[in-house]
Amino acid sequence: MSLEKALAGFMRYGSLAAVCLCALGMIFLIGEGGLPTQGGLHELSGVDYGLLMDSPGAAWVALAGLGALVLVSVGRLLLCAVWFLREGDRRFVVISLVTVLLVTAAAAFRLAS
């Protein structure tokens, strides 16, 4: 299997799984009696706020789906870095890895605060 097909399959099935996880979380939220309102969306990004206290399992499933979408993008960048390394294009390897580091740093700062 070529790296192009592996990358395409990873993106296709990884994105599908992440979107299904988000949808499942939203279905759970609806089933538990509430979709997040505009103010509730802010509460979804925190840990101990109103909507999470009302339906902790559903909110965490939806957040896991969103996290999986980010991880699919990071995985794509890592696969591209491997691909660029095989092709001998070190500049794009560095660009891919720096982008992964930026995404990781942003997530770490958000989780730390």
Side-chain angles (χ1 to χ4, degrees), residues 49-63:
Y49 297 107
L51 185 60
L52 287 176
M53 296 175 96
D54 294 340
S55 56
W60 283 111
V61 170
L63 287 175

Side-chain angles (χ1 to χ4, degrees), residues 73-85 88-104:
S73 293
V74 169
R76 173 188 52 93
L77 287 167
L78 291 174
L79 282 173
C80 284
V82 169
W83 188 357
F84 293 138
L85 189 61
D89 195 345
R90 294 174 190 216
R91 182 179 61 188
F92 282 112
V93 170
V94 170
I95 290 170
S96 297
L97 294 178
V98 167
T99 306
V100 168
L101 288 175
L102 288 173
V103 171
T104 304

Side-chain angles (χ1 to χ4, degrees), residues 9-96:
F10 176 75
M11 292 297 295
R12 179 181 304 117
Y13 297 117
S15 298
L16 181 63
V19 168
C20 287
L21 198 56
C22 285
L24 184 64
M26 294 307 291
I27 289 169
F28 287 160
L29 282 172
I30 293 168
E32 291 179 4
L35 274 174
T37 60
Q38 187 173 4
L41 287 175
H42 169 69
E43 294 170 355
L44 269 178
S45 66
V47 175
D48 293 318
Y49 297 107
L51 185 60
L52 287 176
M53 296 175 96
D54 294 340
S55 56
W60 283 111
V61 170
L63 287 175
L66 292 175
L69 282 171
V70 171
L71 289 176
V72 166
S73 293
V74 169
R76 173 188 52 93
L77 287 167
L78 291 174
L79 282 173
C80 284
V82 169
W83 188 357
F84 293 138
L85 189 61
R86 278 184 40 184
E87 296 291 322
D89 195 345
R90 294 174 190 216
R91 182 179 61 188
F92 282 112
V93 170
V94 170
I95 290 170
S96 297

